Structures are given as structure tokens and as C-alpha cells.
Amino acid sequence: MKLQSLPVVAGGIIITALLWSGCKNAKQNSESPAPKLDSNNSALVRLNNQIFSIPSPIQTALLIKKSGYSYNKEILNSSTNYSRYDTKYKKALNLGIYGADLGYISLYDQTQDAISYLASVEKLANDIGISGMFNEALLKRFQANMGNHDSLLSMVSDAFRKSDAYFKDNRQGDVSSLVLVGGWIESLYFATKANAQNNQKEVVRRIAEQKISVQNLIKMLSGYEGKPDYSDLIKKLTDLSNVFDNVEFVYNYVPPTTDEKNKTTNVNSTSDVKITPEQLKDISDKIAAIRNQITG
């Protein structure tokens, strides 16, 4: 592959990277050209002066679709569940989960479901205090652009980005962290459900790659361990991380080749993942338990 510069997320913006990063410029607004979706690149996110690399839920959803899996509404958190969430902690986590669901739905052109889930996102956003970000105007634009994946994801990313800025301005970085964690949990849940249906190498690899992501999320949340509920979430993610400990990546070095004429360098080395069916089942069971406790 050709060496490319990693995307940079400026000014502590993390929700855009979480939910909608196929885009490589977090400063994009709703009037900019829609980003090109990419199922591979992770985004860099900054929180509390630390930088983390986290794959976005839309990348995992795109990989699932590209791998030939059919739309499966059963894996989504029901759009009617929003009324169950009675704390800011639960609302923030499920805002991330619904964001991941909305991205998945949009990729499969499920118009009615998309509108329903956007309405649920709006209700949770209102409860958290960011009512201006998800409103009737956005819903109308969303309906008008159904079928245009890039435009849909671009306009909703703009709303989430403004939400994140609000949280940062009001010293609520913990809320942003929860939204990010919720989206990550839902995307890993999607991947394990798809893999259980039909084992495919690229999906298995995406699951295995979360070994590093879960460690990053634990570090991200550690600054809020004293807050109610956070220590329990950190413990559950730590238990999940322990299962990932035995997942191995084997690096196969092949010298790079350079094209002097075009001034490009090709990386020829590869890596293989070693993960057993038992490990996959343990990961699937643990992420389902974490996810179902949050959404229940």
C-alpha cells in the first residue's frame, strides 16, 4: 500500500471521528464536499492532551456491507428504547450507540428506519442539552438526501461535531467520551454478530484489531473513574481487554520498494492475526453483555 498521512482531529474533536470518520478533515462543515467513505483508516482523536487511534463505527458498518452481509435490523438498539434512559450517563452512551445504528442504516438505504433513528437521536440530544444540533431542519435535509450516503454522513457529522464543541466549551469531556465508547461498543457488536452469521477473514481481523482500541478507551475513561457508573464500565472493558490479550498479530517483514519517478514508497510487509474460535466467542459474549446492559 502507499504511505499516506494520518487524519488529524484538531481542538479535541472526538465525536466526528467516532461516528462518521471516512472524512480526513475534521474541520469540514455541512457545506463542504461530502467525504469519501473508507472502511480501513482509523481516526486520531484527542482527549485530555492524549491522542488515541479509534476506528469509527461507520468504517465497521461499511466493511460489513462490503463483505456481502444483508441488512439486519435485529442487531440494532430499538429506536423506541430511548425513553428507558434516565441518567446522563446512559443517555450519552446510547447517543453513541444510536449514532452507530444510524450510520449502519444509512449505508443500507433504509429510509424509514433512518428517519426513526434520527428522531431518537434528537430526543436523547435534547435531554442532554444539545437540542439545537438535531432539529426539524436536519430531519428534512436528511430525508431529502436519502440514497446519498456521503451527504447523509456529512450532514449528521456536522451536528455531532457541534455537539462535541458544546461539551468541550462546557467542560463535559466525560460526556464526549461516553458517546465515543457507545459507538465503539455498537460497532464491535455489529462485527461479532456478522461473523457469527458467516465467518469472513476481514471481519475477523477487524474484531481482532480492537485489542488496541479497547486499551485506548480504558485509558480515555480512566480520568473519570471517580464518577458514578464509570468504574463499572472500566471494569467491564478491562475484562474484555483481558480476553484480547491472547490475540496475536504476526508481522511478516518484506523490504519496501520505492518508485523514484513518482516519489512513492510501497510497504510490502504484511501481518497475520491469530485468534481462535473460542476467543472470538468470548469476545462476542462479553461485548454483547456490555452492550445489552447499556441498552436494556
Side-chain angles (χ1 to χ4, degrees):
M1 63 179 178
K2 293 182 179 179
L3 292 175
Q4 295 180 329
S5 60
L6 289 171
V8 176
V9 181
I13 295 171
I14 67 172
I15 296 183
T16 300
L18 157 68
L19 295 175
W20 316 114
S21 117
C23 59
K24 299 190 176 182
N25 184 350
K27 293 182 179 179
Q28 176 182 6
N29 59 41
S30 58
E31 301 303 323
S32 302
K36 182 178 180 181
L37 299 183
D38 190 325
S39 64
N40 295 314
N41 291 336
S42 291
L44 296 182
V45 299
R46 181 189 297 272
L47 187 66
N48 296 335
N49 296 318
Q50 296 188 67
I51 296 177
F52 306 93
S53 177
I54 306 291
S56 75
I58 194 61
Q59 292 166 332
T60 298
L62 183 59
L63 174 63
I64 289 170
K65 185 180 180 184
K66 286 170 61 177
S67 299
Y69 294 98
S70 301
Y71 177 69
N72 181 7
K73 188 175 180 178
E74 296 303 312
I75 68 174
L76 306 176
N77 182 22
S78 172
S79 62
T80 62
N81 282 348
Y82 71 88
S83 60
R84 298 180 180 181
Y85 311 132
D86 56 0
T87 66
K88 198 166 191 176
Y89 170 84
K90 278 244 179 179
K91 288 173 182 177
L93 281 170
N94 281 284
L95 182 59
I97 285 175
Y98 277 138
D101 290 346
L102 184 57
Y104 173 85
I105 292 165
S106 299
L107 286 173
Y108 281 92
D109 296 322
Q110 300 296 313
T111 305
Q112 197 55 49
D113 285 345
I115 293 170
S116 175
Y117 275 77
L118 184 58
S120 297
V121 166
E122 179 187 11
K123 291 180 176 69
L124 285 182
N126 287 344
D127 290 348
I128 291 175
I130 49 174
S131 58
M133 313 306 172
F134 301 89
N135 51 31
E136 188 67 24
L138 178 63
L139 182 58
K140 288 180 179 178
R141 289 176 59 209
F142 198 86
Q143 290 175 291
N145 282 275
M146 288 307 301
N148 187 334
H149 304 143
D150 290 348
S151 292
L152 291 179
L153 299 178
S154 179
M155 71 175 69
V156 179
S157 76
D158 185 56
F160 272 96
R161 183 168 57 252
K162 290 175 181 176
S163 303
D164 185 66
Y166 172 86
F167 292 137
K168 292 296 187 299
D169 290 343
N170 289 274
R171 299 183 181 276
Q172 297 183 62
D174 56 321
V175 179
S176 291
S177 297
L178 291 175
V179 177
L180 186 144
V181 171
W184 179 85
I185 287 171
E186 188 76 338
S187 66
L188 178 54
Y189 179 74
F190 286 169
T192 58
K193 284 294 185 180
N195 184 65
Q197 176 187 338
N198 179 17
N199 184 284
Q200 293 198 36
K201 182 178 179 180
E202 288 305 312
V203 175
V204 170
R205 184 178 183 86
R206 179 58 55 86
I207 293 170
E209 289 171 347
Q210 304 317 301
K211 175 178 182 175
I212 303 302
S213 298
V214 69
Q215 293 171 1
N216 285 337
L217 292 172
I218 292 168
K219 290 177 185 176
M220 185 180 298
L221 290 171
S222 63
Y224 308 109
E225 194 166 7
K227 288 180 174 286
D229 297 316
Y230 283 74
S231 58
D232 182 62
L233 179 59
I234 292 171
K235 182 181 182 302
K236 285 180 169 57
L237 291 176
T238 301
D239 289 343
L240 175 62
S241 181
N242 291 338
V243 177
F244 274 106
D245 280 347
N246 294 320
V247 175
E248 297 180 45
F249 285 87
V250 180
Y251 183 68
N252 306 306
Y253 176 74
V254 179
T257 55
T258 300
D259 184 336
E260 297 289 350
K261 181 179 179 181
N262 294 313
K263 297 182 179 180
T264 60
T265 298
N266 292 321
V267 177
N268 300 316
S269 299
T270 61
S271 63
D272 298 320
V273 62
K274 289 187 176 181
I275 183 169
T276 67
E278 292 76 20
Q279 289 167 343
L280 278 170
K281 185 178 186 306
D282 284 347
I283 291 169
S284 300
D285 290 346
K286 284 190 179 297
I287 198 63
I290 294 170
R291 186 260 191 187
N292 291 337
Q293 182 187 43
I294 292 170
T295 60

